[in-house]
Amino acid sequence: MNVRKLVMTIASASALAAIPAQASNLEEIIVTAQKREQSLIEVPLAVGAISGATLEAKGVESVADLEFSLPSLVIAENSGGGLVATALVTRGIGVNGNIPYFEPSTALFIDGAFRSRSALGMDDLVNIERVEYLRGPQSTLYGRNASAGVISIYTQRPREEWGGQVEATVSQERAGEDPMGYLVRGEASGPLSDKVGAGLSFTRRENDDLYEVTGSPEIDSVNGREDYSIRGQLEFQPSEALNIRVTGGTADRDVNGPATELFFDDAALGGLFTVLEGFNDALRARQGGADLGDLNPTVDFLLSVGAVPTPTGVTVTPPHNDPWDRKIHLNDRKQGGLDGSDIVIDAAYEINDGLTFNAVASWNEYEGNDSQDIDQLTWPVGKFAETQEGDAMTLEVRLTSEPKDSGIGWIIGAFYLKDEMERDVQFQLGPNAPLFAVGLNGDTGDFTGGVDTESISIFGQVDWDLSDRAHLSLGARWIDEEKDAEKINDNFNGTGPASPIFQAGGFAAIFDPTDSGGDSLSTSDGTYSINLSYDLSDEVLVYALHSRGFKSGGFNVVWGPIGAGENGFEFDDETVKAFEVGMKGTFLDGALQSSLAAFHQTHDNYQTAAFIGTIFNLSNAEEASTKGVEADLSWAPTDALLFTASLAWTDAQYEDFKTGPCNQLQTPGPNGFCDQSGDQLPFVSDWTGNVSAQYTQPMAMGDLILRADLAMATDYNPDLVLAPYYRQDGYERLSLRATWRTERFDITVFGNNVTDAEIVDWAGSTNVIPGGSGQFVIQSGPVYGLTGRVNF
């Protein structure tokens, strides 16, 4: 990425802001970042907000797309259990891979309700009022899993008159199998009576397979998906003082994948691939691509890496060693799914002028599944299958007093969570397992584990106007949590025990029945925040913030030995101390808004994870830190033009991590670990930014809207172990849109990622291949499409 180019773009926009504005004001966004309604520009915090109208203009379809609009945010979906747990990384903090019971550090809220599983908010965005993104620890007002930040999504309330919209999108990705994509979504809302409103929204998405599968006569391609979601709402206004809103819905994902791209390190395999390519050419010339019939184990192995024609005569190429060619080797289809439903009840009662009682209750449940070829080759060595299920109930109550003549306002509240989660995993060996001497066909390792969590907290904040311009906010929270965990390992073959080979082989330690048991923990801690702000003028404020955040510990509920000497079942609480100073203001009669924030955070006992072959190992780094600067600018020089720009510089690293994981080419130290002290945290780019430009041209019928969005990032490492051979180059991702909009319908032509930016969501070692070989979850290539929308 050319950082100088981005800095110059932002500097140029700032310089142009000195030109007199031509009577155009930016959209004012009202947020509830401090649990009360405020204008975004008046909140003394580093807060980003995107309105529903802006989401539509940018073509943002899901929460995962938000990372290209919010520079300090990374959203990374992993394979397998990533359907349930998605990494939300704020300012470099927050890693959870596909570990469903490792709680994210960036909390996710939907309509004010906390979601304990991050992926349960990844459904297609429709009927959205706004998205708020709070950067830095928010543990005082938001509580659980907010030690890095908060993402809050708010849906539109029912309209005062009936109306809605339906849209359909058809697209094609120019990568791999050039899959087609189809998305239909819509919403409608309005009054049922003068006291009751209602609304309904839906989405339906289908994507063809992306990856070509070579070497398998049964499977041609993978990585397609079918999703749907339905949400409804009822809003009751029995009196001017009381409002009750009930929202709920269900969502279903059916994924033919997600599959990972593989890279095999030829040097680590003794130049095997070079030999295979020559063998492949000679054999193909001798056989003419004919059916080779039954083959011996040696040729079977060659088949597994795609070196020769398959027994059925399907010709395959030499091993695909390009992580971006969208070609993979499998002998068993990879599938995943997620079904979830939820209900949220949000009640607000105005007791008197300035005093309001709020209650938000929610309940959600889900079931997820994943199956895949564990050896990731066409060789039938073994396969993996897992199911997950869980449910959660939350309740938050608040009493809020707005500042009056005394200049003092306050909030007091309480929060309760009950969360239950269970996971079942099976590894089943196939016909070629004896070649590895790990077991016989049908030998199965079975794991069942789960975590139950109960959390309660009380919190409060006082906002005091020290003078007409100076303001002080003091907040505190007390948190108490209890967790119970259990894991059970077993192995069998059919109705009897697993083979002696399995019992004594490489899987013996992984599915050892004696490596079973449970534990519980109880923890209590407190958080606080101190915020001093000052209005330099009616349009400009500065602020200084100090806060302490908290994230409770937990259990590494996975199969097999955990940590050195199997002492890593439990990981510890994490705490963070943060300092932030900032400025934000409105200029040029409302045509320009800008904000600037500088921060430093120190995380003690930072919770981290590492993929070590077949499991994620969880542990605590003694200390991690992140510091940086964030700048945002929005400028509307005329009614027709809108420019936005954001830039973030982040330095996030392990300050002290002597018990870090080792990559495949490292030799552990005397303590059995590798020292990662001083290393940059995963997923962190030194520089990230985005620039957007939108131009609106009135026409005889409707408006023509042209828009460009450019997101950029410097180099980063998407591997939790930080293996240097996985480090990724920076990228520039450009998306273009042209919309013809009338009162009744819109037509949009778009191209996303037209620069073909190569973006890795996650990287890690392969499941069975040694050395510097790896697997990658990668984002979409260029996508071109057409969207039609009808408003009614």
Side-chain angles (χ1 to χ4, degrees), residues 10 46 71-72 91 135 579-583 595-600 626-632 646-651 685-689:
I10 295 178
S72 296
R91 291 175 171 174
R135 304 186 291 265
F579 298 87
E580 179 177 304
V581 294
M583 179 278 295
S595 63
L596 182 70
F599 62 90
H600 186 280
T626 179
K627 59 185 177 182
V629 178
E630 301 159 338
D632 300 278
S646 299
L647 178 68
W649 170 74
T650 307
D651 178 12
S685 297
D686 291 337
W687 292 92
T688 55

Side-chain angles (χ1 to χ4, degrees), residues 357-374:
F357 173 79
N358 295 89
V360 180
S362 73
W363 172 84
N364 67 75
E365 67 172 1
Y366 73 91
E367 292 183 1
N369 64 84
D370 174 51
S371 63
Q372 59 179 293
D373 177 15
I374 190 62

Side-chain angles (χ1 to χ4, degrees), residues 21 87 103 112 141 159 197 213 232 287 303 307 317 371 383 474 499 505-506 509 567 631 689 694 778 789:
E103 298 162 345
L141 284 182
R159 297 175 176 85
V213 176
Q287 298 291 344
L303 290 174
T317 63
S371 63
K383 56 186 178 180
L474 302 174
S499 68
N567 294 322
Q694 180 173 302
I778 59 180
R789 177 185 298 137

Side-chain angles (χ1 to χ4, degrees), residues 285-481:
R286 188 174 72 225
Q287 298 291 344
D291 190 330
L292 299 180
D294 294 330
L295 302 174
N296 60 43
T298 301
V299 180
D300 280 342
F301 175 76
L302 299 179
L303 290 174
S304 73
V305 292
V308 299
T310 65
T312 57
V314 178
T315 302
V316 298
T317 63
H320 301 295
N321 235 9
D322 180 0
W324 296 97
D325 64 0
R326 271 81 171 184
K327 295 181 179 180
I328 59 177
H329 297 284
L330 292 173
N331 71 279
D332 195 15
R333 185 172 296 277
K334 191 178 192 309
Q335 294 177 313
L338 175 65
D339 299 324
S341 57
D342 72 287
I343 296 175
V344 178
I345 302 175
D346 182 1
Y349 179 68
E350 187 175 342
I351 299 174
N352 56 45
D353 184 22
L355 186 62
T356 303
F357 173 79
N358 295 89
V360 180
S362 73
W363 172 84
N364 67 75
E365 67 172 1
Y366 73 91
E367 292 183 1
N369 64 84
D370 174 51
S371 63
Q372 59 179 293
D373 177 15
I374 190 62
D375 52 87
Q376 301 174 310
L377 299 170
T378 56
W379 209 2
V381 177
K383 56 186 178 180
F384 162 95
E386 76 163 297
T387 58
Q388 300 178 30
E389 60 181 32
D391 60 78
M393 187 274 286
T394 70
L395 173 64
E396 180 175 288
V397 294
R398 302 189 306 273
L399 191 63
T400 304
S401 174
E402 298 293 338
K404 289 190 174 183
D405 295 338
S406 63
I408 298 178
W410 46 265
I411 298 174
I412 57 173
F415 173 82
Y416 175 79
L417 164 76
K418 177 66 174 178
D419 182 278
E420 298 179 350
M421 177 269 175
E422 185 173 303
R423 186 184 191 192
D424 181 78
V425 173
Q426 287 193 353
F427 284 80
Q428 186 176 65
L429 299 187
N432 285 106
L435 299 177
F436 275 122
V438 293
L440 301 180
N441 185 28
D443 283 345
T444 302
D446 182 79
F447 157 83
T448 301
V451 178
D452 295 342
T453 302
E454 189 169 23
S455 176
I456 187 170
S457 59
I458 56 176
F459 61 92
Q461 179 170 298
V462 176
D463 303 311
W464 183 16
D465 295 331
L466 301 177
S467 68
D468 290 341
R469 294 187 178 274
H471 316 278
L472 177 66
S473 293
L474 302 174
R477 189 182 194 104
W478 174 79
I479 303 166
D480 182 80
E481 293 199 4

